[in-house]
Amino acid sequence: MLVSALLTSLAINSGLCILFFVLYSILRKQPSNYAVYVPRLLAEGKSKRRSHFNLERLIPSPTWLKNAWKLSEEELLSSSGLDAVVFMRLITFSLKVFSFAGIIGIFVLLPVNCTGELHIVDFTNLPNNSLDVFTISNIGNGSKRLWIHFSAVYVVTIFICYLLYYEYRYISSKRMAYFYSSKPQPHHFTILVHSIPVSVESSVSESVDRFFSEYHPSTYLSHIVIHRTNRLRSLINDAKQLYGRLTHLKSDDTQQKYHRSCCFGLCGRKVDLTDEYEKQLVDIEKNLRLEQSEVSSSGHKEARAAFVSFKSRLGAAIAFHLPQSSNPIEWVTEEAPEPDDVYWPFFSSSFMHRWISKLTVVVACITLTILFLVPVLIVQGLTNLSQLKTWFPFLESILTIKIVSQVITGYLPSLILQLFLKAVPPIMKFLSSIQGYISHSNIEKSACNKVLWFTIWNVFFATVFSGTAIYVVDIFLEPKQIPGKLAVAVPAQASFFIAYVVTTGWTSVCSELFRIIPFSFSLIKRPFTRSTDHELEVPSLPYHKDIPRILFFALLGITYFFLAPLILPFLLLYLCLGYIIYSNQFINVYAPRYESAGKFWPIVHDSIIFSLVLMHAIAVGIFTLKKLSLASSLICPLPIFTLLFNDYCRKRFL
Amino acid sequence: MLVSALLTSLAINSGLCILFFVLYSILRKQPSNYAVYVPRLLAEGKSKRRSHFNLERLIPSPTWLKNAWKLSEEELLSSSGLDAVVFMRLITFSLKVFSFAGIIGIFVLLPVNCTGELHIVDFTNLPNNSLDVFTISNIGNGSKRLWIHFSAVYVVTIFICYLLYYEYRYISSKRMAYFYSSKPQPHHFTILVHSIPVSVESSVSESVDRFFSEYHPSTYLSHIVIHRTNRLRSLINDAKQLYGRLTHLKSDDTQQKYHRSCCFGLCGRKVDLTDEYEKQLVDIEKNLRLEQSEVSSSGHKEARAAFVSFKSRLGAAIAFHLPQSSNPIEWVTEEAPEPDDVYWPFFSSSFMHRWISKLTVVVACITLTILFLVPVLIVQGLTNLSQLKTWFPFLESILTIKIVSQVITGYLPSLILQLFLKAVPPIMKFLSSIQGYISHSNIEKSACNKVLWFTIWNVFFATVFSGTAIYVVDIFLEPKQIPGKLAVAVPAQASFFIAYVVTTGWTSVCSELFRIIPFSFSLIKRPFTRSTDHELEVPSLPYHKDIPRILFFALLGITYFFLAPLILPFLLLYLCLGYIIYSNQFINVYAPRYESAGKFWPIVHDSIIFSLVLMHAIAVGIFTLKKLSLASSLICPLPIFTLLFNDYCRKRFL
């Protein structure tokens, strides 16, 4: 890749970013977009829909930038919870790491690379230089200059480990403070017990009561057996919907209050809608009562799980920590999730059911991760120009225009890949949801992990080895040769990943700011619906999508900082954008629905440790390749100490 | 190897076994050998030293065989504890497995192998047949007969898994019964707390008291801070020894009561020994009092660890299971070991100290395991005939005799290997003891694991690949090629391992019966000492030496049963011998010193699972090698299901 190509891409993407910022600054002030850009403020009543027009609405203003910049951690903690703090600290952590690495990279490594033995930078015609002159590839075999890179690897590793330790300690203390400061709440006093063994003559409720009265006599308070109430819940939902329509109908005089009773409202006698709805409501109420009495009376709707409450937090903690039964797969206890965090489908399932679900999901997930690129490549292969012409003959005249065909052949494959990639976080979340978790926060945490490894495999390794899935798997089945193969393949993709940060990275944060998909939806829906404030649902940040993305860029930064330090300025800019934009979104858009209390940090920690070890493996390979075997041997203790450090942190912090 | 060679070896070793049995039957009846052969009965007072002579003492009698055979599990449990039961069940489990596999192997697989395509058994001259005609090597590539082996692999795997499950359930129920039946004992009410943080102004004792009074007010009873009392203990030992000598002196009139005060008792004035000892005792007592008062008064001898006792077992369990501190490396709790089981050196060490000890031991252990054969090979290389002649010139005349030189060149290398191997269990136990455990039973368990993997690596893999350590490590760094390499190498060593079972296996159990080393020691010591009953120390069975040995033979049986079914009869005989001999030793020799309550079973379980998976890997390789790729693909689900089964068992049983 030439410098000029990078500059072009840089110009286009900077332009796009500025355009997004300006558009956002204007659009966010239009009352019709409030539901998209400030749903949180709207829901909290801090922002009112004003319909009067003024000129100020059309002039982009940077006040939101100032507000986002000024957001302090205390404000964030009180408004969006500990998870948001952890998320923002991930960004500031990366900023610190890459500022430090950036100083070393730009002021030390870059000059060393540029003055390397293999190519000489042509300063008179900078844009026509290859990007390779800025990378480690420019340094000849056995050169003493490589010791500078060697020292950089050591210094940066030590710096990152030092930061990781302090960050983990900080998050850990925040977690502690969160638990100390939170008021007593019902779920602190409660545990969930599942896989309750039942005998023929007694019900689940009686078993639970007998068991806990016997073994926890002084602390046991009460219990609620969980019932299978799918029908009941659907009835309640129906009733709510009908009630909403009815009140709307009664309050609003402009609506049509009659319809005809058959043939899709076209013929038959006229019916008063209000009466109709009221009659339906009465029916539903009767069904509800029936169902309720059935649920409470009959035992066959009882799930073999119960919420058990204790008189003190200590009592609940004791019951949770002590093994309850001599058979470890009966009377299994879990901490009760927050009420908003409960995920019901797995309450009734037994230990075996959960175990099998988990195994199935693990297999599905590994298969998906490894074989994901196979269907993508097939689809990309199918959607070539001539194929499109046969499928959509009416487009033929357009497709023959040169520029259209160029755009299609150029962008279609990458568009298809992006579409497939977009589908991954929801798929992973779905897989996690059938894995046996009983809380949304655990599902999200598990999905976060899955998406992270998926991204590392399918974007990093698949690009680096640019081969088929089987080939990449093959490489990992011969662990001895990994460093060598990485050393050949990774530097070759340096310019691709620099461009990747500029294009995908910058675009992704800007589209996060602009909220393209909700915005398009609202544009499409607007003519058909009359949205009211109380129907507005405030979204929560999809951590399982955004944390892996930032972690992946951190991985790129860590692995490439000594190979191609040119990646660092772009990465820093990405992180700065991220900092401002996510701060803004936390203020305006996202509200937390539940709190995992900082449980995402261990994922961040592990991922950074993995990036470090990967970087060391590449360094070992590179130094061997460059015939500096002493350096490659001296790198070897580094991954060992990094892994030991990780082990220590896991033991040291809860 | 020819059949005749095997028959010779068989004859020699059977003869040796019978000789050992006869010798044992006579020697055990000699009162001078009671301390070697029936120390337990002697200590329990069930057997008295009779000095009168009768003829019966010289005639070998098989009564001990009958007694050993009749020993029931209840008797064993009550006399030698749960660990002994687990040990005997390991033998009966192996007997069941290899009886089943033996029936299939001898009546199905062996005829199939004999009538194979490659060689024809020469029944007229059986001893001159190669052993290969009885193995799978005799079957041609792509032969349909291999499906019989394939089915055998499936059937035996399923049978072993079935047995493993029932055995684990049985042991688990025995463990439960053991805990239910044991009377309340102090260590049930006590936990060990270490890494206690101390402030400057308060002592450890005050910290502990304040902490547990605050957080466990209703159940906390008392505590004992642990002091560093090495000096005190050595004084007490001195006093005991002196006291023993003194009482001996006073009770026995025949002993010399005077010695001279200097020059090794040769000159100087005569001193009354009784007076001398009494004076020393008074001195020691004074020192003891001084030391005791110093220990109890000064804080600097306090270790940062304490035994904390509670009013109920539940109280102790709660304190053990709940995390005590927000910093997980402070106030670390462990279950208090039985009083006889306590191992003191690691009580005072901090979390970091233990962690580093553990890492060091792991590294040392892996290094020892992998590189063990290097020094052995060097020593074997050094001790050739010409080298011996230069070292010991005076032996030259003997070494030139043909038969001596043959014996030396033939047996010396294997003798050296055996000597080195004998040193391994003590070394591994030493390594485990500096790993940070606070109870002997945990040390023994950990040593058991280490010895097991050491044996598998250095006897199985080193023999199979018969290469250098680096070569064997290399094979495991390319996981894809393991089955292929195993398939080539393992069957080639079939005759070696058949001979190994006959020689090393049979000899090892017979020498266990005969107790060669204690017997030789007692022979040497006898002229110098006058042993009395109360000095007699009853040994306990070194599980870390014997469990790995039996497990290793089980591994041989499982991996070779479908390759060379001829190994099975010899293995069965080994196990029968083992059953009788160990039963006998439990009755007469070994007494338990502490109880791990069946914690050795998970090691057995894991080892059998490993053997199964190894066997499947070999089967995959063999079927690929024999060009029956369908069979090798159909084997693949088997290891997966075996591992899943293992995972289930770990979750299902405590």
Side-chain angles (χ1 to χ4, degrees), chain A residues 443-502:
Chain A
I443 292 173
E444 199 159 6
K445 215 181 95 191
S446 163
C448 184
N449 249 325
K450 292 192 178 80
V451 175
L452 176 65
W453 294 110
F454 179 91
T455 315
I456 292 176
W457 182 265
N458 280 301
V459 183
F460 189 80
F461 287 115
T463 308
V464 159
F465 294 116
S466 55
T468 58
I470 304 302
Y471 174 69
V472 183
V473 172
D474 248 23
I475 287 171
F476 282 85
L477 284 179
E478 284 170 16
K480 229 179 26 171
Q481 300 174 15
I482 293 175
K485 293 206 170 158
L486 280 175
V488 176
V490 173
Q493 298 296 337
S495 41
F496 170 81
F497 280 118
I498 294 176
Y500 184 84
V501 172
V502 174

Side-chain angles (χ1 to χ4, degrees), chain A residues 176 314 317-318 321-323 326-329 351-352 355 359 474 477-481 644 647-648 651-654, chain B residues 176 314 317-318 321-323 326-329 351-352 355 359 474 477-481 644 647-648 651-654:
Chain A
M176 224 78 76
L314 181 67
I318 289 171
H321 281 286
L322 287 190
S326 60
N327 181 349
I329 65 173
F351 171 85
M352 273 306 269
W355 189 61
L359 287 175
D474 248 23
L477 284 179
E478 284 170 16
K480 229 179 26 171
Q481 300 174 15
L644 285 181
D647 188 45
Y648 175 74
K651 290 202 165 72
R652 171 62 186 80
F653 300 110
L654 285 171
Chain B
M176 224 78 76
L314 180 66
I318 288 170
H321 281 286
L322 286 189
S326 59
N327 181 348
I329 64 172
F351 171 83
M352 274 305 270
W355 189 60
L359 287 175
D474 250 23
L477 284 179
E478 284 169 15
K480 229 179 27 172
Q481 300 174 14
L644 285 181
D647 188 45
Y648 175 75
K651 289 202 166 71
R652 170 64 186 77
F653 299 109
L654 285 171

Side-chain angles (χ1 to χ4, degrees), chain A residues 373-629:
Chain A
L373 285 179
V374 175
V376 173
L377 291 176
I378 291 172
V379 174
Q380 285 179 346
L382 283 180
T383 53
N384 51 27
L385 214 59
S386 55
Q387 194 67 48
L388 283 180
K389 280 179 194 164
T390 39
W391 283 349
F392 308 104
F394 51 89
L395 289 179
E396 188 151 0
S397 55
I398 304 172
L399 289 174
T400 43
I401 302 168
K402 202 184 163 202
I403 190 145
V404 173
S405 72
Q406 271 181 343
V407 167
I408 285 180
T409 47
Y411 276 83
L412 204 60
S414 108
L415 191 72
I416 290 168
L417 176 65
Q418 288 301 323
L419 281 179
F420 270 92
L421 281 176
K422 282 268 179 243
V424 169
I427 292 175
M428 290 302 185
K429 193 163 182 184
F430 167 73
L431 285 178
S432 297
S433 75
I434 58 171
Q435 200 177 338
Y437 292 113
I438 56 152
S439 65
H440 288 289
S441 60
N442 275 332
I443 292 173
E444 199 159 6
K445 215 181 95 191
S446 163
C448 184
N449 249 325
K450 292 192 178 80
V451 175
L452 176 65
W453 294 110
F454 179 91
T455 315
I456 292 176
W457 182 265
N458 280 301
V459 183
F460 189 80
F461 287 115
T463 308
V464 159
F465 294 116
S466 55
T468 58
I470 304 302
Y471 174 69
V472 183
V473 172
D474 248 23
I475 287 171
F476 282 85
L477 284 179
E478 284 170 16
K480 229 179 26 171
Q481 300 174 15
I482 293 175
K485 293 206 170 158
L486 280 175
V488 176
V490 173
Q493 298 296 337
S495 41
F496 170 81
F497 280 118
I498 294 176
Y500 184 84
V501 172
V502 174
T503 53
T504 312
W506 293 8
T507 323
S508 72
V509 277
C510 287
S511 74
E512 168 61 48
L513 174 73
F514 198 66
R515 289 172 58 72
I516 291 180
I517 292 166
F519 179 65
S520 328
F521 260 106
S522 90
L523 274 187
I524 297 165
K525 263 168 48 189
R526 202 170 298 163
F528 306 107
T529 60
R530 304 161 57 91
S531 77
T532 53
D533 279 12
H534 76 267
E535 277 176 21
L536 183 84
E537 206 181 320
V538 183
S540 65
L541 183 66
Y543 290 108
H544 66 286
K545 200 176 110 233
D546 290 337
I547 290 182
R549 193 188 290 147
I550 294 174
L551 284 175
F552 180 67
F553 284 109
L555 178 123
L556 287 185
I558 291 173
T559 46
Y560 275 102
F561 94 94
F562 77 105
L563 300 173
L566 209 60
I567 202 173
L568 293 170
F570 304 113
L571 208 58
L572 278 171
L573 216 69
Y574 164 76
L575 290 166
C576 291
L577 282 178
Y579 181 80
I580 288 289
I581 287 172
Y582 282 107
S583 291
N584 177 61
Q585 303 299 75
F586 277 122
I587 298 174
N588 295 318
V589 182
Y590 300 123
R593 265 195 291 167
Y594 38 79
E595 179 70 80
S596 84
K599 274 194 191 154
F600 286 104
W601 189 258
I603 298 177
V604 173
H605 187 91
D606 288 349
S607 159
I608 301 285
I609 293 283
F610 173 80
S611 309
L612 281 175
V613 173
L614 183 65
M615 186 256 276
H616 299 149
I618 297 169
V620 168
I622 285 274
F623 290 133
T624 314
L625 208 67
K626 295 269 177 191
K627 312 240 182 301
L628 204 70
S629 54

